Amino acid sequence: MKSLIFILLAFSSQSLALDSRPQGYERGNGGFLMTCSNQSFLGAGVFSVDHIEATYLHALPAAESLKLLRDEVEVVRYILNKLHTVNPTRAELYTQWLQELLSSREFVKNFTFIPLPDSSTTMIPEYCKQEQAAIFITTPGKPKLRFLFNQNLWEQASTLDRAYLLLHELIYREALLDENNHTNSVAARYLNAWLFHSVEDLNQQDLLELLRSLHFSRGDYNGVTLRLFVRTPSGNLTGVRLAPIIYFPGSNNIRVAPLADSFTVRIGEDIFHRVCNESFINEKFPSFVEFYPSGKIKKMVFQATDGNVPYSYTPGYLKTQCSFKGKNKLEFNENGEMTSASSVPETLSDAYLADVD
C-alpha cells in the first residue's frame, strides 16, 4: 500500500536553524586544540581538548575501531551512522551540518584566533597551551555560516584529533540553538567524548538520559522525537514543567514521554509530519506520546487547539496549536493503524497521566 503523509498543521519553525540568531558579525566557539612541548607527558604535538578531557578527565577513551579509519571525515561519518540507529533525528541533522561545514570551511594561514571565553576548561596538562583552532562566524548580509580553521594547528593534529574537532563543531552548533541555550561548550565536549567512546555500544536509554542531563532538548525513542527539556519564558532551562519519562515497571521500555513540537514518524504505512512553533508552547499541557510494551506507538496527544485550525501558516496567528485536522488525540493499534482521532481539553493540564491507559 502506498504510504500516506499526514501534515500536522505545519508552522514556519526555525528551531533547527542556527542562523535564526540576529544577523551581524558574530562568532561561535568551534573548538580548541592544545599544543604541547616535549616536556609534557603527552609528548610534543597538537591534541584536541575534547580528546584530552575524554581520556584523562572522564575516563572515556576513544573506541579502538575509530583509530583504524583513514581520515577525520570518515571517523565522523562512522559515528553518525552508528548514532542513526538510536537517534536518527540528531544523526540526520549532524550529517546535514557536516556537509555544510565541509563545503564552506576555510583554512586560515598566518593568523591566530583570539580565544573565545566560553570553553570553561577545567584543567590543562603541564607544558601545554590551549589555542583556538576553529570558529564559526556570520557576517553582515550573509546568512550562511563560515567555518574557519587554523591551518597550522590543523596540519599538526592527528586524524583522531581532527575528528574530535569536527564533531565538536556539530554538537556545539546544536547546543547554541535557542531551545538549548548553552552558554559554554562543557556539555558539548562531554557528549563528544561519550560518542567517541561508546560508538560501538550505543543504546537509546543511556543516550536519552545523558542528553537530558546535559540539557539538550530533544532525543529519539523508537523513531519518535521526545521533548527532554523546555526553556521557560524567563530564559532558564527547566524540566519541572514537563512530566518525566515514565518506564514500564521492571523494564527499560518507555511507557509515556513528552513529545517534541516537531517530528516526522512512520506509524505502520503512514508518515506523520508535525512542525510547530515552539515559542508558543503551553508548558502546563505538554504534548505526549504513549507506547505499547512492544515500543510501538499507542497514542499521541498534542496541545489543545482553539477549535479554529487554519491549514496554512498565518503570520501572527499564535493561539493555534498544532493538531491533525483539528484533533489532538490520535490512537493506534499495534499494527500501526489509526483507530481514532478526537479532542481532549486543555484542562487536562499537568495531570496528563490521567489520559494514559
Side-chain angles (χ1 to χ4, degrees), residues 190-252:
Y190 188 86
L191 180 56
N192 197 14
W194 189 87
L195 288 172
F196 268 80
H197 176 74
S198 306
V199 64
E200 302 297 351
D201 191 31
L202 297 175
N203 69 78
Q204 291 186 121
Q205 185 185 16
D206 287 349
L207 181 56
L208 282 173
E209 292 303 320
L210 178 63
L211 291 169
R212 195 175 179 92
S213 69
L214 295 177
H215 293 176
F216 284 90
S217 64
R218 298 165 185 260
D220 291 336
Y221 179 74
N222 292 353
V224 183
T225 307
L226 306 182
R227 189 69 171 166
L228 306 179
F229 249 76
V230 69
R231 202 155 60 96
T232 64
S234 65
N236 297 320
L237 283 164
T238 178
V240 174
R241 295 200 179 223
L242 277 183
I245 295 174
I246 305 298
Y247 292 88
F248 285 96
S251 169
N252 291 330

Side-chain angles (χ1 to χ4, degrees), residues 3-24:
S3 295
L4 300 177
I5 300 180
F6 296 96
I7 307 297
L8 306 186
L9 191 60
F11 271 70
S12 178
S13 171
Q14 293 184 336
S15 62
L16 295 181
L18 184 63
D19 290 335
S20 62
R21 297 177 301 167
Q23 290 300 308

Side-chain angles (χ1 to χ4, degrees), residues 62-136:
E64 290 298 318
S65 58
L66 299 179
K67 301 174 184 178
L68 304 176
L69 302 178
R70 61 187 175 185
D71 63 54
E72 62 277 357
V73 176
E74 186 177 356
V75 172
V76 175
R77 285 181 172 153
Y78 183 87
I79 293 172
L80 296 183
N81 285 338
K82 293 285 188 176
L83 180 62
H84 196 276
T85 62
V86 295
N87 194 177
T89 303
R90 180 166 280 101
E92 289 165 11
L93 179 64
Y94 287 4
T95 299
Q96 173 192 329
W97 284 350
L98 176 63
Q99 191 56 44
E100 291 176 11
L101 186 158
L102 296 176
S103 65
S104 62
R105 64 178 169 173
E106 304 169 39
F107 290 97
V108 179
K109 291 183 178 180
N110 305 319
F111 283 89
T112 58
F113 299 142
I114 298 173
L116 290 161
D118 58 354
S119 70
S120 297
T121 308
T122 56
M123 63 181 190
I124 298 175
E126 290 184 321
Y127 307 107
C128 293
K129 177 176 67 172
Q130 181 170 285
E131 298 192 58
Q132 189 80 51
I135 58 174
F136 49 82

Side-chain angles (χ1 to χ4, degrees), residues 278-290:
E278 183 63 21
S279 299
F280 305 100
I281 186 172
N282 176 351
E283 295 170 6
K284 284 191 173 183
F285 183 73
S287 300
F288 71 92
V289 57
E290 183 182 357

